[in-house]
Amino acid sequence: KAEDRVIEALLKALRDSDRDVRKAVAAALGQLEKANDRVVEALLNALRDSDGYVRQSAADALGRLGKADDRVIHALLKLARNGDFVGEI
């Protein structure tokens, strides 16, 4: 399916060495109408990215996807408590 190939390409690009690519990909993943567990897991991993802008983009994406399960809530709260965001979400 074409949609699956696009998602696979985006998930691969989320591991790119360029932070701007990772940030843009996280934002794009947040625009998906159907987020599967692999997308959510990849965005959760992006919350631990070395770059704050990527972390913020991943957090925004998770919020837009509306996947408020326990692991997402826990990860976002941990990030907020640690002050790991670049700016306000």
Side-chain angles (χ1 to χ4, degrees):
K1 213 160 83 166
E3 180 181 316
D4 292 337
R5 289 192 301 271
V6 169
I7 290 172
E8 287 304 315
L10 288 171
L11 292 175
K12 182 178 179 182
L14 193 57
R15 297 185 305 270
D16 194 275
S17 61
D18 185 326
R19 79 158 190 188
D20 291 330
V21 171
R22 296 191 312 273
K23 179 181 158 202
V25 168
L29 288 169
Q31 299 299 319
L32 295 175
E33 290 182 22
K34 297 178 188 174
N36 61 32
D37 286 337
R38 291 187 65 216
V39 170
V40 172
E41 191 64 37
L43 289 169
L44 285 169
N45 287 335
L47 292 177
R48 295 188 300 270
D49 194 277
S50 62
D51 185 84
Y53 291 103
V54 175
R55 292 191 301 270
Q56 183 172 350
S57 187
D60 289 344
L62 285 165
R64 282 192 303 276
L65 291 174
K67 297 286 187 176
D69 64 25
D70 287 344
R71 63 193 174 134
V72 171
I73 293 168
H74 176 73
L76 291 174
L77 287 173
K78 180 179 177 184
L79 198 62
R81 271 194 302 269
N82 292 339
D84 285 340
F85 291 119
V86 172
E88 286 190 36
I89 300 289

